[in-house]
Structures are given as structure tokens and as C-alpha cells.
Amino acid sequence: MIHPGGIDHIVLRVRDAGAMASFYIEVLGCTLERRRDDIGLVQLRAGRSLIDLVPVDGTLGRQGGAAPGAEGRNLDHFCLRVDPFDGEAIRAFLAERGCEPGEEVMRFGAEGEGPSIYVRDPEGNTVELKGPAA
């Protein structure tokens, strides 16, 4: 029997690993877990999960398809659980850093219905920032 306990990691194919790492570290608060420049891999820590960045021109990246773009995504969105969640403060923080956060709305997630804000990373991936169930 399989019992999922959460998201272990996601992998994003990227054009500019530096800009993407900066966004996830400086804007969304992730930390650098490790780099494998020999194969083209940057791993960022997001709580108990990892976000892997794979440059499309690196060893791993050349094994996949085209670079991400408006018509070529390999991911609709992913969600980071944020605690504490202060929607107004989060939206202001994102705007101060040049991001265009979406409105705070209630959405259903792993813990139930709760507040949520969408934002796009530098390469157009949608990231959902999710608060606790109401």
C-alpha cells in the first residue's frame, strides 16, 4: 500500500537557472540545498520538499524537450504551503519585489479550503501560495 505524505520534490525545466534560483530564494524564501553543475541541477529547499531547477542547456536538460514558454509548459502550477499566512502582507511583499500577485481567494488544497494567492516565477510558471484551512 502507498501512503503519500506530501510532495517530496518537483522538477522545473528552466532557461535561466540563476534568475529562477534568485526568485525562489529571495522572493519565496527557499534555501539552496545543493548544486550539481556537472549534470545541470540546482536543488532548493522548500520546507520538507525540494524544488529542482534543471537548465534546458545542461546535461539533464538536454534529455528533455523544449524550453518552457507560453505554449510549452510541463506543469500547470504547484502549491507551496505558507505559514503564517497574511494575504495582504504577502501581496505587498511580492509587489515590492516586482511580482504581480493575484488576488487572495479561497481554494481547496490538501488541508481543505483556505486562502491562496497565485504568482508567476521569472519563466512564467504559476506558483500557488496557500494558507491553512479556514
Side-chain angles (χ1 to χ4, degrees):
M1 181 73 66
I2 297 174
H3 301 283
I7 295 175
D8 182 82
H9 72 278
I10 64 161
V11 179
L12 296 176
R13 294 174 45 75
V14 303
R15 288 185 301 268
D16 186 341
M20 292 290 280
S22 291
F23 173 81
Y24 284 94
I25 292 169
E26 296 169 15
V27 176
L28 297 186
C30 296
T31 58
L32 179 64
E33 181 77 9
R34 71 181 186 143
R35 296 183 65 99
R36 289 282 315 272
D37 294 327
D38 58 319
I39 60 172
L41 174 64
V42 177
Q43 294 183 296
L44 306 174
R45 172 74 50 193
R48 295 183 353 203
S49 303
L50 292 176
I51 299 171
D52 293 356
L53 305 177
V54 174
V56 296
D57 60 354
T59 302
L60 289 177
R62 286 191 297 271
Q63 296 175 16
E71 300 301 321
R73 296 200 193 323
N74 59 1
L75 175 74
D76 178 73
H77 80 277
F78 67 93
C79 180
L80 297 176
R81 174 63 166 81
V82 177
D83 191 21
F85 188 92
D86 178 338
E88 187 175 316
I90 290 170
R91 292 183 79 249
F93 180 85
L94 292 169
E96 288 169 6
R97 282 149 184 82
C99 301
E100 295 180 28
E103 295 299 317
E104 179 181 338
V105 299
M106 297 296 284
R107 292 187 175 95
F108 189 81
E111 298 176 356
E113 192 84 12
S116 163
I117 296 170
Y118 283 169
V119 65
R120 289 193 185 271
D121 71 19
E123 293 192 4
N125 296 297
T126 300
V127 181
E128 179 179 356
L129 306 176
K130 183 91 170 57

